[in-house]
Amino acid sequence: LVRTCPSDWSLRRVAFVAVLLGVMGRVGFLWFPVSIDVYRYIWEGYIQNHWFNPFQVAPSDPSLARLIQGDMTLIWQQINHKDVSAAYPTLKMLLFRIVSAISPSPILIKVVKIGFDLMTLGAVELIVQSRKFKPAYLLWYVANPLVLVYVAGEAHLDIVQAAFLIWALYFIGIRRPVAGFLALGMSAVSKYFAIVALPFVMMRTNRHAWPAAFLAGIFFLPYANDLPALFQSLFVFGSRMHYNDGLAEILRALLGAAALPVLILILLGLLAMIYLFVHDTMRSVYLALGAVLLCLPTLHPWYLLLVAPLMAIYPSRAWLYLM
């Protein structure tokens, strides 16, 4: 698609075709089976509407037994890790609560995620326009099969983080840093990976806007009565579990229990090198996110949604083949 896109087409024309193709492709995936993670999204939103804190009570907690009735019985049965409480950041939990209050339906979750997907595409289009890249580069995101399967298909939440992050990079790039740092904060409270972008966008010229990133902390307030609970399951997943990893797997084989601290040191070293030697803000964020994904002990395919929009700016065969 990228290679055959006519070079004389304007951005507006390419964008129209890209959005049309994108919407058609995403609608086609509405009937694709959702991920089992979606059932946890629905359940955690549902119990919040019954005044339970999902960070404090796992799905298997006896106090929730009375809520397992009707349609929620099937939802509850398909939740994985029922003995573990919520690990998702607070903005996601509030989003789950709103969606479940409207309708505890996997299709509604999917429609919301596609909305964030199209929101991401809007920011990508504006970045391509502002940086005068080839309009055909939009297709690197629109037609990306990983995006189609894991957003429109399985409805994974990582697209929320990506949407806010790409808008943050756009706003910072056009010198609207307050909006940019606010969007970056929203991305970080959608999923904590986005925090890694913060040092790469902080400059003396925009230091007046830095506090805007911390305004997103307001989403912690509904759960402020037990702040340690917000991170207990996240710590379990990060320190004791691993899946589909690469570098971490090698280090575990060589170093055993010492692998995790060594992995953290390697990540910090990579981020320091990027900070010192890469002086383009957007490219440094792109490389930093790649470093994070490289060093994760768990790497599900949908984690790559964080990098997928940036392929429209920095096309890469390596990322394309991996996706």
Side-chain angles (χ1 to χ4, degrees):
L1 283 171
V2 173
R3 285 176 175 173
T4 59
C5 182
S7 58
D8 58 340
W9 278 17
S10 67
L11 176 63
R12 180 175 295 181
R13 192 173 184 181
V14 174
F16 174 78
V17 173
V19 170
L20 183 63
L21 284 173
V23 171
M24 288 171 60
R26 284 149 177 79
V27 168
F29 274 85
L30 280 175
W31 291 270
F32 193 90
V34 296
S35 163
I36 58 171
D37 288 350
V38 170
Y39 300 105
R40 180 177 276 271
Y41 306 162
I42 294 170
W43 176 259
E44 291 178 344
Y46 173 71
I47 67 170
Q48 287 182 81
N49 290 319
H50 287 80
W51 307 107
F52 285 95
N53 184 342
F55 292 108
Q56 294 175 323
V57 288
S60 61
D61 193 291
S63 64
L64 301 176
R66 64 182 178 82
L67 300 181
I68 307 171
Q69 54 184 317
D71 292 340
M72 295 309 298
T73 303
L74 183 60
I75 297 292
W76 183 86
Q77 288 172 346
Q78 297 183 79
I79 298 171
N80 61 353
H81 301 297
K82 289 186 178 68
D83 58 330
V84 179
S85 59
Y88 302 117
T90 53
L91 177 58
K92 293 278 180 58
M93 301 307 297
L94 292 171
L95 180 63
F96 299 161
R97 183 171 188 172
I98 293 168
V99 173
S100 292
I102 298 169
S103 173
S105 162
I107 285 292
L108 182 57
I109 290 276
K110 186 175 287 198
V111 168
V112 169
K113 299 300 170 59
I114 291 174
F116 278 101
D117 183 18
L118 295 176
M119 175 178 157
T120 305
L121 174 58
V124 170
E125 181 183 343
L126 290 170
I127 291 172
V128 167
Q129 182 180 23
S130 65
R131 291 205 161 200
K132 295 181 171 54
F133 291 123
K134 292 180 181 178
Y137 280 13
L138 284 176
L139 295 163
W140 282 106
Y141 182 74
V142 170
N144 189 315
L146 181 130
V147 177
L148 288 170
V149 171
Y150 291 110
V151 179
E154 294 197 357
H156 285 282
L157 55 78
D158 297 66
I159 192 61
V160 181
Q161 173 189 217
F164 284 119
L165 178 64
I166 300 304
W167 276 101
L169 293 175
Y170 169 69
F171 283 131
I172 290 171
I174 63 168
R175 294 182 175 84
R176 292 180 59 187
V178 174
F181 279 97
L182 179 59
L184 183 56
M186 298 278 280
S187 181
V189 294
S190 299
K191 198 164 185 179
Y192 300 120
F193 293 162
I195 293 172
V196 76
L198 190 59
F200 299 98
V201 297
M202 298 173 76
M203 294 168 278
R204 282 184 295 180
T205 54
N206 62 24
R207 60 187 175 190
H208 66 284
W210 295 354
F214 302 98
L215 289 177
I218 193 172
F219 292 102
F220 284 91
L221 292 180
Y223 312 97
N225 62 324
D226 190 0
L227 288 177
L230 272 63
F231 304 100
Q232 61 185 8
S233 294
L234 185 66
F235 178 77
V236 170
F237 280 111
S239 62
R240 301 180 194 172
M241 298 184 182
H242 60 91
Y243 173 76
N244 198 40
D245 45 346
L247 181 58
E249 177 72 20
I250 296 169
L251 291 176
R252 261 196 311 277
L254 295 174
L255 304 173
L260 188 59
V262 171
L263 198 62
I264 292 171
L265 288 174
I266 290 172
L267 176 59
L268 292 175
L270 289 171
L271 295 177
M273 289 175 63
I274 295 165
Y275 187 85
L276 291 172
F277 299 113
V278 181
H279 302 298
D280 179 281
T281 299
M282 199 169 297
R283 185 169 180 80
S284 63
V285 170
Y286 163 68
L287 293 172
L289 296 173
V292 170
L293 294 173
L294 173 70
C295 294
L296 286 176
T298 295
L299 183 63
H300 292 293
W302 52 89
Y303 288 10
L304 303 182
L305 290 169
L306 191 57
V307 171
L310 291 168
M311 278 188 61
I313 303 155
Y314 305 108
S316 162
R317 281 197 181 97
W319 277 117
L320 179 62
Y321 293 156
L322 182 60
M323 290 178 184

